[in-house]
C-alpha cells in the first residue's frame, strides 16, 4: 500500500552530502596534511552533535517542570530523558578513548594551525552548563574576563541568553521543596527522624564509653569523632544553620528541598518514591560523569601538551583541573550520604502514610489529595 507522503532517501534525510563535506583539515589547506587531524575533527564534531542532543533533551525536561505540579507520568518521562543524557555522557567518556589513540607528536603535526581556536569556544557546551544550573560564581576566571569574551558575537548572545533561561537545578530544587510527604496529617518525618538519630548517637556513645578493648586515648578520639558527627547532624535540623551554609556557598538547595531529598533517599523502597529516587540517583550520575569527563579531558590534555599554554591562551591542564570540582552541581545530594541511617533504625511510618506511599497518592492539585 502506498504511503500518503513522498518517499525519502537515507542520504537526503541525514543530509549526508553536507555532513560528510564538513571535515576540512586545516593542515591540508596549508599544504602539509597531517593524517591525525581528521580524527581530531570528527571527534569534536561528534561531541558538538551530542551537545546539541543534550540541549534538546534538557529543554524538554525543564519544560516538564514549568507547571506547579508534576504528575507521575510526567516524572517518568523526565527520568527517562535524564537517563538518556546520562548515557550520552558515558559515550562522551568513551570518545576520549578514541581520541587518545593520537599521540603528542601526532597532535603537534597540526596543533599550531589551530591557534587561537579552542574547545573553550564551544558555545553549545557553555549553554549546556548553564541549562544544567552552573552559576557564574562557580566559573574559573579566564583571561581576567567573562567566559564568553572569546566567543563570536552571535554565539556569545546565545550563551548569555542561556544564563537567563530556567535551569534543571532550580526546577529540581523547587520540585523537591513542594514534596508533600515531609509532613502529612499528624506525621512529621523530620521529628521522627531526629528522634531516631539521637537514639543512634546515644547507643554509639554507650558502646564507646564501655568498650573494654579501647585505650583511654582511643576512646577519647572516638568520642571526639562522634561529637563532630553529631554536630553535623544537629545543623541538619536547624533552618538557621542551613541558611548560614547557603550564605557560605556550601549548600544550594533550600532547607525544604534538602528535607524532601533526604526523605526520598531514606524511604526509597516505598513504591511511590521509586521514581523520585531514580531521578535523584540519575542527577548524581550526571554530576559524576561530567566531573569524570572533565578530569579525563584534563589528563588527556596534559599527556598531549604537558604544561604548555592551551591554543586558546588558557593555562591548559591547570585550568581544566580547577574546573573539575568547581563546576559540580548536585553536591547537596551526594552530601546527604552523611545523614543516612540503617534501614532497621528508620522511623516506622504510620499506616496512613504507608497507604499514601503505595501508589494511592497523586501529586496533583491540593484538592485532589487523599485524606491522610
Amino acid at each position: 500500500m502506498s504511503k500518503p507522503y513522498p518517499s525519502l532517501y537515507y542520504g537526503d534525510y541525514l543530509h549526508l552530502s553536507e555532513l560528510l563535506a564538513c571535515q576540512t583539515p586545516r593542515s591540508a589547506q596549508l599544504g602539509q596534511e597531517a593524517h591525525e587531524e581528521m580524527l581530531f575533527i570528527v571527534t569534536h564534531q561528534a561531541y558538538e552533535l551530542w551537545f546539541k542532543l543534550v540541549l534538546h533533551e534538557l529543554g524538554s525536561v525543564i519544560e516538564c517542570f514549568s507547571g506547579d505540579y508534576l504528575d507521575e507520568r510526567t516524572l517518568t518521562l523526565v527520568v527517562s530523558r535524564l537517563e538518556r543524557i546520562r548515557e550520552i555522557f558515558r559515550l562522551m567518556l568513551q570518545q576520549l578513548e578514541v581520541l587518545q589513540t593520537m599521540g603528542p607528536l601526532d597532535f603537534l603535526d597540526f596543533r599550531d594551525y589551530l591557534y587561537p581556536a579552542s574547545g573553550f569556544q564551544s558555545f553549545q557546551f557553555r549553554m549546556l552548563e548553564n541549562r544544567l544550573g552552573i552559576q557564574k560564581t562557580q566559573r574559573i576566571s579566564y583571561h581576567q574576563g567573562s567566559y564568553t569574551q572569546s566567543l563570536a558575537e552571535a554565539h556569545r548572545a546565545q550563551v548569555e541568553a542561556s544564563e537567563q533561561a530556567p535551569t534543571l537545578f532550580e526546577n529540581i530544587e523547587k520540585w523537591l521543596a513542594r514534596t508533600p510527604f515531609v509532613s502529612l496529617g499528624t506525621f512529621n518525618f523530620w521529628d521522627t527522624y531526629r528522634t531516631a538519630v539521637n537514639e543512634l548517637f546515644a547507643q554509639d556513645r554507650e558502646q564507646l564509653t564501655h568498650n573494654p578493648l579501647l585505650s583511654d586515648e582511643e576512646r577519647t578520639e572516638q568520642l571526639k569523632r562522634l561529637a563532630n558527627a553529631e554536630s553535623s547532624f544537629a545543623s541538619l535540623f536547624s533552618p538557621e544553620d542551613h541558611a548560614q551554609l547557603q550564605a557560605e556557598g556550601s549548600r544550594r538547595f533550600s532547607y525544604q528541598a534538602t528535607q524532601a531529598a533526604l526523605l526520598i533517599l531514606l524511604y526509597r523502597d516505598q513504591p511511590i518514591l521509586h521514581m523520585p529516587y531514580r531521578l535523584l540517583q540519575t542527577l548524581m550520575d550526571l554530576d559524576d560523569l561530567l566531573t569524570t569527563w572533565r578530569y579525563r579531558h584534563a589528563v588527556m590534555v596534559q599527556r598531549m601538551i604537558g604544561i604548555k599554554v592551551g591554543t586558546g591562551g588558557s593555562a591548559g591542564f591547570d585550568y581544566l583541573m580547577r574546573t573539575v570540582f568547581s563546576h559540580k552541581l548536585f553536591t547537596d545530594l551526594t552530601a546527604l550520604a552523611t545523614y543516612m541511617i540503617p534501614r532497621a533504625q528508620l522511623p516506622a511510618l504510620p499506616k496512613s502514610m504507608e497507604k499514601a506511599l503505595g501508589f494511592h497518592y497523586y501529586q496533583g492539585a491540593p484538592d485532589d489529595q487523599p485524606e491522610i
Side-chain angles (χ1 to χ4, degrees):
M1 186 175 84
S2 62
K3 301 291 185 183
Y5 32 79
S7 61
L8 184 64
Y9 179 61
Y10 174 82
D12 293 339
Y13 178 61
L14 297 179
H15 296 275
L16 287 183
S17 295
E18 298 92 331
L19 183 64
L20 299 179
C22 289
Q23 297 74 44
T24 53
R26 186 165 170 77
S27 59
Q29 293 175 335
L30 296 175
Q32 192 170 358
E33 183 173 359
H35 178 82
E36 301 297 311
E37 191 179 359
M38 182 63 76
L39 166 65
F40 189 83
I41 292 172
V42 169
T43 303
H44 285 80
Q45 286 181 341
Y47 272 127
E48 292 297 332
L49 287 172
W50 287 125
F51 295 160
K52 181 174 183 176
L53 181 56
V54 170
L55 286 168
H56 176 70
E57 301 297 341
L58 264 180
S60 70
V61 167
I62 293 170
E63 178 63 26
C64 288
F65 284 101
S66 61
D68 293 333
Y69 298 96
L70 190 70
D71 63 40
E72 295 303 321
R73 287 172 297 182
T74 306
L75 181 59
T76 301
L77 181 65
V78 164
V79 172
S80 68
R81 289 180 178 170
L82 287 176
E83 288 177 340
R84 179 179 296 162
I85 294 174
R86 179 188 64 195
E87 297 311 310
I88 292 171
F89 284 176
R90 285 193 186 161
L91 189 56
M92 285 166 50
L93 270 171
Q94 293 172 353
Q95 284 187 195
L96 286 178
E97 301 290 341
V98 180
L99 191 57
Q100 287 182 156
T101 62
M102 176 178 63
L105 283 177
D106 300 323
F107 185 42
L108 288 175
D109 285 342
F110 63 90
R111 181 176 184 257
D112 284 349
Y113 300 144
L114 307 182
Y115 182 84
S118 165
F120 197 86
Q121 296 169 329
S122 172
F123 73 97
Q124 285 199 119
F125 187 68
R126 300 305 167 201
M127 290 171 63
L128 185 158
E129 290 178 320
N130 289 340
R131 295 310 303 274
L132 284 172
I134 286 182
Q135 299 172 304
K136 268 192 172 183
T137 53
Q138 292 178 257
R139 293 193 177 278
I140 304 297
S141 177
Y142 178 74
H143 287 338
Q144 306 301 315
S146 170
Y147 72 104
T148 64
Q149 72 177 28
S150 63
L151 299 176
E153 184 176 349
H155 293 161
R156 186 184 307 121
Q158 292 182 63
V159 173
E160 290 174 349
S162 71
E163 292 177 350
Q164 308 304 318
T167 70
L168 177 65
F169 184 94
E170 66 188 18
N171 277 286
I172 292 294
E173 194 275 337
K174 290 175 183 176
W175 171 74
L176 283 169
R178 64 176 184 258
T179 296
F181 299 125
V182 174
S183 179
L184 278 177
T186 59
F187 175 74
N188 188 293
F189 156 70
W190 218 234
D191 289 343
T192 55
Y193 171 71
R194 184 172 190 169
T195 298
V197 167
N198 288 338
E199 290 174 355
L200 280 173
F201 277 121
Q203 293 171 13
D204 289 345
R205 187 173 292 102
E206 178 75 13
Q207 291 173 358
L208 288 174
T209 302
H210 298 93
N211 188 342
L213 301 178
L214 294 177
S215 66
D216 289 343
E217 188 175 315
E218 289 172 330
R219 181 176 292 105
T220 299
E221 180 62 26
Q222 293 286 357
L223 286 171
K224 181 179 178 181
R225 291 181 181 177
L226 183 65
N228 288 337
E230 195 167 9
S231 176
S232 176
F233 266 88
S235 67
L236 188 65
F237 302 109
S238 168
E240 294 76 20
D241 288 352
H242 187 89
Q244 180 61 36
L245 291 173
Q246 283 185 297
E248 294 169 358
S250 57
R251 292 287 187 275
R252 284 188 65 184
F253 276 161
S254 68
Y255 189 61
Q256 293 77 11
T258 301
Q259 286 182 322
L262 183 58
L263 181 142
I264 290 169
L265 294 175
L266 288 172
Y267 290 97
R268 67 183 194 183
D269 295 332
Q270 297 296 330
I272 208 168
L273 295 184
H274 286 176
M275 197 57 66
Y277 171 73
R278 276 179 60 185
L279 173 57
L280 298 188
Q281 286 294 114
T282 303
L283 294 173
M284 289 187 276
D285 288 344
L286 292 178
D287 220 7
D288 289 346
L289 286 165
L290 200 50
T291 299
T292 303
W293 182 83
R294 291 183 193 278
Y295 172 76
R296 290 282 305 281
H297 180 237
V299 170
M300 183 190 70
V301 167
Q302 185 183 45
R303 290 177 58 179
M304 289 291 184
I305 67 172
I307 60 172
K308 295 185 183 77
V309 173
T311 53
S314 75
F317 170 74
D318 289 339
Y319 167 81
L320 293 171
M321 281 300 294
R322 290 170 65 198
T323 69
V324 170
F325 293 106
S326 68
H327 289 182
K328 284 180 70 68
L329 276 169
F330 292 102
T331 52
D332 285 35
L333 292 178
T334 52
L336 290 177
T338 304
Y339 309 113
M340 296 293 177
I341 62 177
R343 279 189 175 93
Q345 304 296 328
L346 284 176
L349 298 176
K351 293 297 182 182
S352 58
M353 187 70 169
E354 289 273 5
K355 182 179 180 180
L357 295 176
F359 287 121
H360 290 273
Y361 182 84
Y362 171 73
Q363 192 174 345
D367 290 344
D368 297 332
Q369 297 181 12
E371 295 185 2
I372 303 296

